[in-house]
Amino acid sequence: MESRHGGWRSTGLLFVVLVAFASNSLLNRAALVGGQIDWASFTIIRLLSGALILGLFLGVRHGKAVLPRRGDCVGAMSLFAYAGAFSAAYISLDAGVGALILFPAGQISIQLIGLTRSIIPTRGQLAGAAIALIGLVVLIAPGATAPPLWSGLLMAFAGIAWGFYTWAGKGVADFPLATARYFVGAGLLALLLVPFAVTSTITWQGVLLAVISGAFTSALGYVLWYHVLARISIATAAVSQLSVPAIAGLGGVLLLGEVLTMRMITGGMIIFAGIGLAIWASAGRKAA
């Protein structure tokens, strides 16, 4: 069983990862809404930047080029599908609304995949998920207008792909190397989007936002994500992602000038309460 010190360390790393996830929504939306880059170019640069930083670092460490293997197909393809649909959806979705669609879809995907592998959540984990979902409803329902159907479906598809990507890395022996191979594979697949890129709209600000998203909040964030996944249950991993819309909402207030409402505060607090219950229940299961 993990020590109390190790438990707090895992919790701290989990928080850093969730902030990175929320930052991806903010970076992507900021680049597209300002007309600084198109969605295809953002996706290509994002994935290639992640592949470059991880490939170079781990290539030097292992003394050989980092190349995807046959067993990396699910991880690479799901990462490419997630990143492409994610950026395309943010053409018409606000940062907070996109996160509100993405992560519940990812959570449902993760839970369903877990059920196919005979992983049944405990009552405490189910209760935590239910509380977090209630918070999500409080956060999005009051006064919310329906998002564009096509963009909403794209973001839901991105969430499903994210669930498969999460499962692809669960339990891998060398998660930094696995993440690097996934990014290299996804970066190669991203070249399929070149015909859809609108190079005349690309600015250096848009390129910078895409590089930050790819190299830091994505590549390094996902390495930490797999690191945390090795230390928490898949149910806790799924529920914890429901906090990202709350974090993205706060980021929208601080960085994009959005209005902080009492309902946003209340919904966020309920979500974090559900996450806390799920983590507590998972710790009890491990102890048992």
Side-chain angles (χ1 to χ4, degrees), residues 43-113:
T43 302
I44 295 168
I45 296 172
R46 177 186 179 186
L47 291 176
L48 289 179
S49 296
L52 182 62
I53 190 170
L54 291 179
L56 285 178
F57 176 77
L58 293 171
V60 171
R61 179 178 133 187
H62 291 275
K64 59 181 179 180
V66 176
L67 297 173
R69 303 173 181 173
R70 181 177 299 179
D72 299 322
C73 287
V74 173
M77 292 177 66
S78 57
L79 177 58
F80 166 67
Y82 149 76
F86 181 86
S87 292
Y90 266 131
I91 295 174
S92 303
L93 294 178
D94 291 338
V97 173
L100 286 169
I101 298 172
L102 174 73
F103 286 96
Q107 193 253 4
I108 293 171
S109 175
I110 290 171
Q111 296 285 16
L112 290 178
I113 296 171

Side-chain angles (χ1 to χ4, degrees), residues 24 28-29 32 38-44 46 80-93 154-155 158 193 213:
N24 277 325
N28 206 147
R29 180 58 179 163
L32 294 180
D38 62 283
W39 72 270
S41 298
F42 189 96
T43 302
I44 295 168
R46 177 186 179 186
F80 166 67
Y82 149 76
F86 181 86
S87 292
Y90 266 131
I91 295 174
S92 303
L93 294 178
L154 277 174
M155 191 60 81
L193 297 178
S213 176

